């Protein structure tokens, strides 16, 4: 399945940070959604600002435009404000990208659990992300830190409890 | 060199020393004269050269012998020179250091500089021709009395008197210099009137003649003159002056503004106004101050300052919405535009074209693409 680029992607001004406040807001919104949908498509969980500049998202070779590092940081900062991104270091060179926020993931997992009537059962984290049962689910292959966060989110809602097991962590759903 | 005569080095009765300069070598034409380096003195009547060490060796030439003179700039290892071209030798000339010379010009080579001031003073003397008014041969003169002062007053009073005389003389020189200028200005006024009458004639005939570009251009040029420019002299200084100036600007700028699509950069206005005023030039500051008065005087013009600091004069009727709309139309039509392209399209200056695009961007109608190829504006599709 090939990624479908939004119309803005071939619009040269999209790659220049707009000085007009209103225009910029719309532009940033478009960037945020493009970044997230691209990461979701490629199942990316971490991004490096320098590497990102070379990736097709921020570098449109066809129209010979690329977003500057400064502008990328502005976009990332915008994503952070929306809760879709977390910086991994102080210098803001690497970041975790959450194209689904932990709560959303938690919801998906819980839906799957209740659909299959497995409330009150205990799972290992590996089972959830890599087990045969979840193969057709979206959260299959979810990175462990992300999975843990989603479960933590569920835990605060009282829908799950994370338990420590001998060789890792497990979770019980309520 | 053969024009020089031996001299005793003393000034005559009515002769005054103007300037002297050390370290000057004489050249007979292009060749170095067989004289050492010396002092050159310029008096109201003569050019005198005296040997630095041997004060007995002193030669002079009458200023009236000079046809013209010119400067010769210094080069590497070469001092600056003044070339003086001289009239042919008069047959009854007194003896001098040279009996004969193949050159009709001499050069003063300034080893210790000072040529600029010397050249200036020489020019002054040559234009004033003071030797004609008070010939040296005339023993007593009542008009100027350096020698009277010399005989009557000694000490501080004498010095004071001398200074006073000098001051009077400079005053006279200055006013003489300005006399010419005011005459020129009177002429300029006549010229403006003439140009006006021609302009009106052309205008009258414009119905018969086809819309010929050259005629339009001519009438435009000629209509630029201002017969009675508002000046500080006529209207004093301060606010009143600026008000009057603003009114005059309002009259004269209407036509050019309409022709340029209702807007002109202040620099352009400045050039136009000063060309029209001819002699009575305006300072940029006065122009800005006058332009600031447009609004309070309810004139149909406005001074507008863009965010970038660029100042323009525009017609009041010149609406911003229209301007933005036209910018948007143009950009939409072409897909995208740089300010240069837009300027060409509208026949505006690039600066103003850019301001318009920026304004449209500010209002959210356009957006920009800032790439290595330059700044382009696109319709705002966001």
């Amino acid at each position: 399945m090939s990624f479908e680029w939004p119309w803005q992607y071939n619009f040269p001004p999209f790659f220049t940070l707009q000085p007009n406040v209103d225009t910029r807001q719309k532009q940033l919104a478009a960037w945020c959604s493009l970044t997230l949908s691209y990461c979701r498509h490629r199942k990316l969980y971490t991004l490096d600002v320098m590497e990102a500049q070379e990736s097709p998202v921020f570098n449109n070779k066809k129209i010979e435009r690329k977003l500057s590092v400064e502008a990328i940081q502005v976009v990332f900062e915008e994503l952070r404000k929306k809760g879709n991104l977390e910086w991994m270091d102080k210098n803001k060179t690497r970041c975790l990208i959450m194209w689904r926020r932990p709560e959303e993931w938690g919801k998906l997992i819980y839906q799957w659990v209740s659909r299959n009537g497995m409330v009150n059962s205990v799972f290992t984290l590996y089972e959830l992300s890599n087990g045969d049962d979840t193969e057709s689910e979206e959260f299959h292959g979810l990175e462990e830190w992300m999975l843990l966060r989603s479960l933590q989110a569920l835990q605060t809602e009282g829908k799950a409890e994370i338990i420590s097991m001998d060789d890792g962590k497990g979770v019980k759903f309520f | 060199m053969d024009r020089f005569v031996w001299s005793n080095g003393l000034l005559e009765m009515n002769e005054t020393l103007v300037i002297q300069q050390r370290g000057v070598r004489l050249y007979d034409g292009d060749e170095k004269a067989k004289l050492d380096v010396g002092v050159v003195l310029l008096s109201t009547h003569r050019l005198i050269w005296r040997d630095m060490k041997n004060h007995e060796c002193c030669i002079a030439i009458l200023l009236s012998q000079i046809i013209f003179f010119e400067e010769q700039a210094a080069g590497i290892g070469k001092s600056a020179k003044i070339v003086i071209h001289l009239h042919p030798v008069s047959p009854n000339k007194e003896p001098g250091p040279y009996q004969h010379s193949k050159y009709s010009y001499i050069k003063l080579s300034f080893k210790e500089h000072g040529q600029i001031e010397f050249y200036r003073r020489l020019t002054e003397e040559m234009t004033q021709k003071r030797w004609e008014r008070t010939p040296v041969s005339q023993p007593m003169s009542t008009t100027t009395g350096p020698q009277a002062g010399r005989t009557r007053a000694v000490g501080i009073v004498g010095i004071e008197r001398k200074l006073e005389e000098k001051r009077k003389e400079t005053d006279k020189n200055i006013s003489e210099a300005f006399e010419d200028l005011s005459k020129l200005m009177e002429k300029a006024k006549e010229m403006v009137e003439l140009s006006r009458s021609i302009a009106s004639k052309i205008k009258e005939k414009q119905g018969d003649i086809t819309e010929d570009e050259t005629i339009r251009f001519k009438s435009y040029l000629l209509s630029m003159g201002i017969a009675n420019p508002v000046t500080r002299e006529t209207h004093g200084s301060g606010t009143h002056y600026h008000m009057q100036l603003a009114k005059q600007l309002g009259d004269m700028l209407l036509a050019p503004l309409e022709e340029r699509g209702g807007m002109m950069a202040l620099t352009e206005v400045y050039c136009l106004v000063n060309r029209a005023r001819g002699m009575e030039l305006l300072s940029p500051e006065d122009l800005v101050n006058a332009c600031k008065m447009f609004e309070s005087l309810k004139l149909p013009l406005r001074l507008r300052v863009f965010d970038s600091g660029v100042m323009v004069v525009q017609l009041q009727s010149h609406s911003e919405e229209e301007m933005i709309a036209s910018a948007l139309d143009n950009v939409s039509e072409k897909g995208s535009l740089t300010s240069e392209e837009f300027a060409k399209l509208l026949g505006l200056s690039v600066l103003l074209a850019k301001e318009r695009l920026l304004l449209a961007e500010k209002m959210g109608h356009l957006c920009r693409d800032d790439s290595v190829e330059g700044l382009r504006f696109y319709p705002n599709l966001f």
Side-chain angles (χ1 to χ4, degrees):
Chain A
M1 194 178 76
S2 69
F3 184 71
E4 203 175 301
W5 297 102
W7 65 268
Q8 289 99 329
Y9 188 64
N10 289 314
F11 186 48
F14 191 44
F15 291 84
T16 302
L17 210 54
Q18 298 299 321
N20 183 309
V21 184
D22 294 337
T23 315
R24 181 192 281 228
Q25 237 155 28
K26 287 181 199 151
Q27 184 195 16
L28 284 179
W31 267 117
C32 289
S33 84
L34 170 61
T35 314
L36 290 180
S37 55
Y38 182 79
C39 289
R40 170 193 260 162
H41 177 75
R42 300 279 307 273
K43 296 229 184 293
L44 296 173
Y45 294 96
T46 57
L47 281 178
D48 185 290
V49 178
M50 298 314 270
E51 280 169 24
Q53 206 196 10
E54 293 310 314
S55 84
V57 198
F58 299 108
N59 188 353
N60 186 343
K61 292 217 168 80
K62 203 175 92 199
I63 60 165
E64 291 178 346
R65 292 287 184 282
K66 62 174 163 185
L67 203 62
S68 68
V69 176
E70 295 77 32
I72 291 177
Q73 278 189 330
V74 172
V75 172
F76 281 12
E77 202 53 40
E78 189 70 15
L79 282 169
R80 190 191 61 80
K81 278 184 209 153
K82 288 166 68 176
N84 293 101
L85 185 142
E86 258 175 44
W87 293 110
M88 289 169 77
D89 54 357
K90 269 188 191 163
N91 297 334
K92 302 190 175 177
T93 54
R94 286 189 68 78
C95 61
L96 302 171
I97 186 118
M98 299 173 277
W99 26 278
R100 272 219 177 100
R101 277 180 283 134
E103 301 84 61
E104 289 169 338
W105 279 120
K107 215 172 170 184
L108 275 181
I109 296 169
Y110 194 76
Q111 268 170 6
W112 174 78
V113 170
S114 44
R115 216 172 36 237
N116 291 289
M118 287 186 278
V119 182
N120 282 325
S121 333
V122 175
F123 294 90
T124 63
L125 293 196
Y126 185 80
E127 255 180 311
L128 276 176
S129 60
N130 292 301
D132 297 340
D133 294 343
T134 63
E135 209 155 320
S136 57
E137 295 305 317
E138 261 198 277
F139 55 84
H140 187 82
L142 198 63
E143 287 192 359
E144 196 186 316
W145 64 268
M146 192 69 226
L147 183 62
L148 203 61
R149 283 225 195 158
S150 351
L151 295 175
Q152 272 161 355
L154 278 179
Q155 187 171 311
T156 48
E157 282 176 51
K159 289 179 176 167
E161 193 176 334
I162 299 166
I163 40 182
S164 294
M165 302 210 267
D166 337 321
D167 54 346
K169 282 184 172 141
V171 62
K172 189 180 178 186
F173 295 100
F174 302 109
Chain B
M1 260 325 269
D2 51 356
R3 274 70 153 182
F4 274 98
V5 294
W6 292 113
S7 160
N8 58 4
L10 297 175
L11 295 181
E12 307 283 338
M13 292 296 239
N14 285 323
E15 200 177 6
T16 348
L17 180 67
V18 178
I19 187 172
Q20 62 175 16
Q21 177 60 47
R22 294 182 342 135
V24 177
R25 183 183 272 283
L26 287 176
Y27 278 68
D28 179 23
D30 288 325
E31 293 161 18
K32 255 181 208 167
K34 54 188 182 187
L35 295 158
D36 215 10
V37 178
V39 185
V40 69
L41 299 99
L42 175 68
S43 79
T44 49
H45 295 71
R46 290 180 300 167
L47 189 69
I48 304 162
W49 182 89
R50 193 169 59 205
D51 193 286
M52 203 95 96
K53 293 173 207 117
N54 179 11
H55 285 232
E56 295 297 298
C57 177
C58 186
I59 53 174
I61 197 167
L62 288 173
L63 290 185
S64 58
Q65 281 229 284
I66 298 176
I67 308 173
F68 77 100
F69 52 98
E70 57 196 342
E71 272 178 301
Q72 203 171 34
I76 298 166
K78 270 165 70 183
S79 314
K81 295 184 180 63
I82 294 177
V83 186
I84 301 175
H85 297 262
L86 301 164
H87 284 294
V89 196
S90 58
N92 52 356
K93 182 186 131 323
E94 287 167 51
Y98 278 65
Q99 290 314 310
H100 180 75
S101 165
K102 54 179 173 170
Y103 297 100
S104 65
Y105 61 95
I106 56 155
K107 285 187 194 174
L108 308 179
S109 173
F110 291 82
K111 305 271 173 219
E112 295 176 28
H113 306 289
Q115 70 280 1
I116 296 169
E117 182 62 11
F118 196 88
Y119 184 84
R120 195 176 67 77
R121 303 301 282 267
L122 183 58
T123 318
E124 269 178 25
E125 287 309 317
M126 289 306 289
T127 42
Q128 285 179 22
K129 295 188 197 284
R130 281 196 274 183
W131 66 86
E132 283 177 356
R133 271 178 276 148
T134 53
V136 274
S137 50
Q138 202 176 311
M140 276 291 249
S141 132
T142 43
T143 46
T144 51
Q147 113 268 29
R150 214 179 292 149
T151 46
R152 252 187 259 153
V154 243
I156 293 175
V157 183
I159 295 170
E160 275 180 348
R161 211 168 273 178
K162 248 187 194 167
L163 284 176
E164 178 68 11
E165 268 158 24
K166 232 181 198 171
R167 195 187 59 75
K168 270 186 195 155
E169 201 170 329
T170 11
D171 273 0
K172 211 178 88 198
N173 289 345
I174 290 171
S175 54
E176 264 172 24
F178 278 94
E179 220 165 75
D180 291 348
L181 214 57
S182 51
K183 267 181 202 154
L184 189 62
M185 273 163 72
E186 268 164 38
K187 286 274 176 233
K189 251 177 217 169
E190 280 171 30
M191 284 306 293
V192 170
E193 255 149 49
L194 185 69
S195 71
R196 282 209 156 179
S197 74
I198 295 174
S200 62
K201 270 180 200 162
I202 289 177
K203 261 186 199 163
E204 278 165 25
K205 280 187 182 168
Q206 217 162 30
D208 313 328
I209 310 165
T210 46
E211 279 285 301
D212 193 341
E213 280 285 319
T214 50
I215 286 171
R216 272 187 61 199
F217 174 63
K218 265 186 202 161
S219 79
Y220 185 45
L221 253 186
L222 293 169
S223 68
M224 283 313 303
I226 299 175
N228 292 306
V230 174
T231 60
R232 282 193 187 276
E233 283 73 40
T234 55
H235 289 88
S237 54
T239 327
H240 182 63
Y241 166 63
H242 289 135
M243 268 161 60
Q244 293 301 319
L245 197 58
K247 279 181 190 159
Q248 193 162 61
L249 288 177
D251 287 344
M252 69 154 293
L253 286 176
L254 271 180
L257 269 174
E258 267 159 22
E259 218 160 279
R260 282 172 174 74
M263 192 193 263
M264 271 165 92
L266 199 60
T267 44
E268 213 181 327
V269 171
Y270 179 74
C271 294
L272 204 65
V273 169
N274 272 334
R275 194 173 67 194
R277 288 172 70 96
M279 299 299 295
E280 299 286 357
L281 296 182
L282 269 187
S283 76
E285 200 192 350
D286 280 345
L287 180 68
V288 174
N289 285 333
C291 288
K292 282 180 187 157
M293 297 261 173
F294 285 155
E295 200 162 354
S296 54
L297 290 172
K298 300 199 169 52
L299 289 168
L301 302 176
R302 290 291 174 271
L303 178 72
R304 185 197 167 106
V305 185
F306 281 107
D307 295 337
S308 56
V310 173
M311 288 199 255
V312 297
V313 173
Q314 61 181 30
L315 290 176
Q316 196 189 7
S317 57
H318 187 75
S319 96
E320 205 161 275
E321 287 78 37
E322 224 168 82
M323 203 165 78
I324 294 169
S326 90
L328 181 59
D329 283 351
N330 277 304
V331 174
S332 308
E333 201 178 299
K334 300 273 170 194
S336 72
L337 281 177
T338 63
S339 42
E340 286 82 9
E341 289 164 352
F342 188 49
K344 221 177 261 174
L345 220 58
L346 289 189
L348 276 175
S349 72
V350 176
L351 191 75
L352 288 187
K354 190 171 179 185
E355 289 301 339
R356 286 191 183 199
L357 290 170
L358 289 177
L359 195 68
E361 184 192 40
K362 198 175 143 198
M363 303 312 284
H365 295 300
L366 296 177
C367 59
R368 65 171 61 190
D369 166 32
D370 198 359
S371 69
V372 279
E373 295 155 30
L375 188 61
R376 296 191 78 85
F377 288 88
Y378 286 76
N380 189 357
L381 301 177
F382 289 117

